[in-house]
C-alpha cells in the first residue's frame, strides 16, 4: 500500500515538474540568446548613431571612434566590426569570427551600415548557466516531491498497519483491541466497525464459554450418577445376561463422558488469548522467582533483552515455558544460565535462547527430547513436551537449538517496533504471580 501511494504521488509530482520544467528550460535558453542578440544590436545601433552625428558635424571618422564607443575589453578583442560609410573608406576593426557567432547588422538613414560579429561562447555559457540553474530547481523539486510522497504515504499507511494489527488481534482472540483514530474518515469507519465486531465476538465467546460450563455441569452430574447405578446393577445382578448388559451400558456412558471431555478441551484450546507483552516484564518475574534458588547453588542467572521489542504471546503461558527451561537448567545444567531475547532474521520474529554451561543433551536423547515420557535423568519426562504444546498454542515454537552446551530456543511473533502496543492492543489483566509450588 505504501509503495503504491509513493509511486502515485511521485509520478504526479514528476509529471508536473517535467511538464513545467522542460518548457521553462527551453524558453529560458531562447530568451537569454535573444537578450544577447538585442544587446549586441543596441551596441551596433549606438555606433551607427555616433557615426551619423560625426558625419553631420563634418568630423573625421576613424577606427579609434569605433573602439572607444564599443568599449571592447581585452577579453572581447575577437569582436569583428565593419562600418560601410557612403563616400568614405570602410572601417574594419578585428578579424573575421568563425562560427558559432552572433551577428547583427544595422542600416542608418544615411546609408551607413554597421555589422558586428562576436563569438557566441559567452552567450552559450549564460544559456548553460540558466539551464543548469533550472535543472537544479527541477531536481530539488523532485526531491521535495519524493520527500512529501514518503511523508504522505507514511501518514496513510501507518493507520492501515495499526488496523491490520487490530484485525490480527481480533482474529487471535483478543477481541477488545483498540487504536487511536487516524483522522482519515474511511479508515476510522473500518476501525469502528472492527471495534463493534470485536464486541459482538466477545459476547458470543462469553456465551459459548458459559454454555460449555453449563453443559459440563448438567451432563457430567447425571452421567456420573448413571455410571454408579450401572456399576451397582452389574455387581448385584443375579443373571449373567443382566450383568453383561449393564457392563455394555457402562462402557457407552464412559465413552460419552470422554467425548464430552474432549469437546470441552478442544473449546478451551481454540479460545486463545494472545496479546502484546513486553519481555522485560516476564524476565523480571522469572528473575524474582528463580534468582534465590540459583544463588543457593552458587550459580548465576542472567536475563538480557537484546530485542527490545514486544511480542505476541500469552504472558502466563510464556512464563510457564521459561520456568520449565530455567528449572531444567537449574537441575541438570551448570555454570551461568543465560536467558537472552534476540531479534530474528526478519522484523516479525523474536528468539528467546535459554542456555547454560553444562554438559548439554546427549546424542541419544536429543531426537526424542520433546517426546512424552522421555527423560535422561529419571524424571517424569512431561515438562518439555507440555512446554512445547503451550508455546504452540500461542503461535510460537520451542526447539533444541544446540546440544552441547544445551541451548533451547523459544520463537515468537514480534509486534513491529514502529507500533505502540499499548495503543494497538490494550494491556492484559494485571495478575500477581507468586512462587510456584508445582512444576510440570
Amino acid at each position: 500500500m505504501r509503495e503504491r501511494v509513493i509511486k502515485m504521488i511521485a509520478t504526479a509530482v514528476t509529471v508536473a515538474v517535467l511538464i513545467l520544467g522542460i518548457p521553462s528550460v527551453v524558453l529560458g535558453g531562447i530568451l537569454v540568446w535573444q537578450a544577447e542578440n538585442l544587446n549586441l544590436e543596441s551596441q551596433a545601433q549606438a555606433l551607427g548613431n555616433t557615426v551619423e552625428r560625426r558625419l553631420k558635424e563634418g568630423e573625421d571618422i576613424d577606427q579609434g571612434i569605433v573602439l572607444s564607443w564599443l568599449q571592447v575589453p581585452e577579453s572581447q578583442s575577437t569582436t569583428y566590426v565593419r562600418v560601410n560609410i557612403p563616400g568614405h573608406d570602410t572601417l574594419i576593426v578585428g578579424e573575421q569570427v568563425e562560427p558559432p557567432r552572433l551577428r547583427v547588422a544595422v542600416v542608418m538613414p544615411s546609408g551607413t551600415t554597421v555589422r558586428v560579429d562576436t563569438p557566441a561562447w559567452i552567450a552559450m555559457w549564460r544559456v548553460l548557466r540558466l539551464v543548469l540553474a533550472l535543472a537544479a530547481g527541477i531536481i530539488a523539486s523532485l526531491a521535495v516531491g519524493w520527500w512529501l510522497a514518503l511523508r504522505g504515504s507514511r501518514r496513510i499507511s501507518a493507520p492501515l498497519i495499526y488496523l491490520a494489527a487490530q484485525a490480527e488481534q481480533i482474529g487471535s482472540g483478543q477481541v477488545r483491541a483498540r487504536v487511536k483514530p487516524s483522522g482519515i474518515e474511511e479508515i476510522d469507519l473500518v476501525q469502528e466497525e472492527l471495534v463493534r465486531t470485536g464486541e459482538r465476538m466477545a459476547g458470543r465467546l462469553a456465551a459459548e464459554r458459559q454454555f460449555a460450563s453449563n453443559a459440563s455441569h448438567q451432563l457430567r452430574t447425571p452421567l456420573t450418577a448413571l455410571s454408579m447405578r450401572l456399576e451397582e446393577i452389574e455387581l448385584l445382578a443375579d443373571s449373567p445376561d443382566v450383568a453383561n448388559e449393564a457392563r455394555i451400558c457402562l462402557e457407552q456412558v464412559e465413552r460419552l463422558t470422554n467425548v464430552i471431555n474432549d469437546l470441552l478441551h478442544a473449546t478451551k484450546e481454540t479460545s486463545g488469548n494472545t496479546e502484546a507483552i513486553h519481555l522485560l516484564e516476564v524476565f523480571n518475574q522469572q528473575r524474582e522467582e528463580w534468582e534465590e534458588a540459583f544463588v543457593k547453588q552458587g550459580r548465576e542467572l542472567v536475563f538480557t533483552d537484546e530485542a527490545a521489542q514486544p511480542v505476541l504471546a500469552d504472558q502466563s503461558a510464556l512464563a510457564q515455558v521459561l520456568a520449565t527451561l530455567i528449572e531444567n537448567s537449574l537441575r541438570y545444567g551448570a555454570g551461568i544460565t543465560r536467558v537472552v531475547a534476540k531479534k530474528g532474521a526478519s522484523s516479525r520474529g523474536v528468539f528467546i535462547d535459554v542456555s547454560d554451561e553444562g554438559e548439554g543433551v546427549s546424542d541419544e536423547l536429543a531426537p526424542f527430547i520433546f517426546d512424552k515420557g522421555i527423560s535422561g535423568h529419571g524424571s517424569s519426562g512431561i515438562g518439555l513436551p507440555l512446554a512445547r504444546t503451550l508455546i504452540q498454542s500461542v503461535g510460537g515454537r520451542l526447539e533444541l537449538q544446540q546440544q552441547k552446551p544445551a541451548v533451547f530456543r523459544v520463537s515468537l511473533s514480534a509486534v513491529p517496533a514502529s507500533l505502540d502496543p499499548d495503543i494497538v492492543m490494550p494491556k492484559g489483566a494485571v495478575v500477581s504471580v507468586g512462587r510456584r509450588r508445582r512444576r510440570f
Side-chain angles (χ1 to χ4, degrees):
M1 175 64 185
R2 185 179 178 185
E3 292 181 358
R4 292 183 179 180
V5 173
I6 292 175
K7 288 180 180 179
M8 287 190 295
I9 298 177
T11 300
V13 171
T14 302
V15 171
V17 169
L18 293 180
I19 289 177
L20 296 177
I22 293 177
S24 298
V25 171
V26 176
L27 182 60
I30 294 174
L31 291 177
V32 170
W33 187 267
Q34 290 180 349
E36 291 295 323
N37 277 281
L38 290 175
N39 182 47
L40 188 61
E41 185 177 352
S42 64
Q43 291 186 16
Q45 185 69 38
L47 178 58
N49 293 335
T50 301
V51 172
E52 288 284 300
R53 181 175 56 79
R54 290 287 185 100
L55 288 175
K56 290 181 180 180
E57 295 177 356
E59 298 179 3
D60 294 334
I61 300 174
D62 55 15
Q63 293 181 351
I65 297 174
V66 178
L67 293 175
S68 62
W69 185 258
L70 281 178
Q71 298 180 353
V72 179
E74 292 298 326
S75 60
Q76 297 181 0
S77 59
T78 55
T79 301
Y80 175 78
V81 180
R82 180 185 180 91
V83 181
N84 293 324
I85 306 174
H88 293 77
D89 295 335
T90 301
L91 301 179
I92 297 176
V93 176
E95 299 179 356
Q96 291 284 347
V97 178
E98 298 295 332
R101 63 191 175 193
L102 294 177
R103 169 177 290 181
V104 296
V106 178
V107 179
M108 307 304 297
S110 63
T112 301
T113 302
V114 179
R115 194 186 82 183
V116 179
D117 293 352
T118 187
W121 299 113
I122 296 177
M124 294 172 65
W125 169 241
R126 291 175 180 173
V127 171
L128 179 62
R129 283 192 303 180
L130 176 65
V131 170
L132 292 177
L134 292 175
I138 291 175
I139 295 174
S141 300
L142 292 175
V144 172
W146 274 96
W147 178 77
L148 291 175
L150 290 173
R151 185 174 180 181
S153 65
R154 188 179 298 112
R155 182 177 180 273
I156 295 174
S157 61
L160 295 176
I161 296 175
Y162 282 91
L163 200 63
Q166 182 184 10
E168 181 178 357
Q169 288 309 292
I170 291 176
S172 63
Q174 182 66 23
V175 295
R176 296 186 179 181
R178 293 289 189 274
V179 296
K180 291 182 177 179
S182 63
I184 302 175
E185 182 180 0
E186 292 78 4
I187 296 179
D188 289 342
L189 289 174
V190 176
Q191 188 268 331
E192 291 173 2
E193 185 59 34
L194 280 177
V195 170
R196 289 191 290 270
T197 301
E199 292 174 351
R200 289 193 294 268
M201 288 179 62
R204 292 177 181 176
L205 287 176
E208 289 178 2
R209 291 168 184 169
Q210 185 63 39
F211 171 77
S213 177
N214 294 338
S216 174
H217 177 73
Q218 296 295 331
L219 291 175
R220 284 178 177 175
T221 300
L223 286 175
T224 301
L226 182 58
S227 298
M228 295 174 63
R229 183 59 179 164
L230 289 173
E231 288 176 356
E232 184 179 356
I233 293 174
E234 183 183 8
L235 291 174
L236 300 178
D238 296 331
S239 172
D241 294 335
V242 174
N244 184 52
E245 290 298 328
R247 181 182 57 79
I248 294 174
C249 291
L250 184 60
E251 291 176 355
Q252 295 299 323
V253 171
E254 291 177 352
R255 179 181 177 186
L256 180 59
T257 302
N258 292 332
V259 170
I260 294 173
N261 290 334
D262 292 340
L263 290 176
L264 293 176
H265 181 68
T267 302
K268 291 180 179 179
E269 285 188 345
T270 56
S271 58
N273 189 29
T274 59
E275 59 182 352
I277 61 175
H278 296 279
L279 292 176
L280 283 179
E281 297 177 2
V282 182
F283 285 0
N284 290 335
Q285 182 263 327
Q286 292 297 311
R287 180 185 290 109
E288 178 186 355
E289 183 170 351
W290 290 102
E291 193 169 28
E292 184 178 346
F294 274 82
V295 171
K296 288 181 179 179
Q297 293 194 10
R299 295 176 57 187
E300 186 178 357
L301 178 62
V302 179
F303 291 87
T304 307
D305 184 9
E306 297 178 359
Q309 194 170 3
V311 297
L312 289 173
D314 181 84
Q315 185 163 346
S316 61
L318 178 59
Q320 191 72 7
V321 170
L322 291 180
T324 300
L325 298 177
I326 294 172
E327 184 177 18
N328 286 344
S329 177
L330 177 63
R331 289 183 177 180
Y332 314 123
I336 301 175
T337 296
R338 303 182 186 275
V339 182
V340 183
K342 304 177 182 179
K343 288 186 178 181
S346 65
S347 60
R348 296 186 61 85
V350 170
F351 299 142
I352 303 176
D353 289 341
V354 181
S355 61
D356 56 48
E357 300 171 353
E359 296 180 357
V361 181
S362 64
D363 295 337
E364 296 79 11
L365 182 61
F368 313 102
I369 192 70
F370 294 107
D371 293 346
K372 288 185 179 181
I374 302 298
S375 175
H377 302 277
S379 62
S380 62
I382 63 174
L384 288 176
L386 288 180
R388 170 176 271 189
T389 302
L390 266 179
I391 205 64
Q392 287 177 347
S393 67
V394 295
R397 188 172 67 253
L398 173 61
E399 56 190 352
L400 179 62
Q401 184 68 17
Q402 180 178 306
Q403 288 184 228
K404 299 178 181 180
V407 178
F408 287 90
R409 171 166 291 181
V410 179
S411 304
L412 298 168
S413 298
V415 178
S418 59
L419 304 181
D420 184 356
D422 295 334
I423 297 175
V424 177
M425 292 151 287
K427 295 180 179 178
V430 178
V431 180
S432 178
V433 181
R435 299 184 181 275
R436 292 183 183 82
R437 300 305 181 190
R438 295 183 59 188
R439 300 287 174 207
F440 56 82

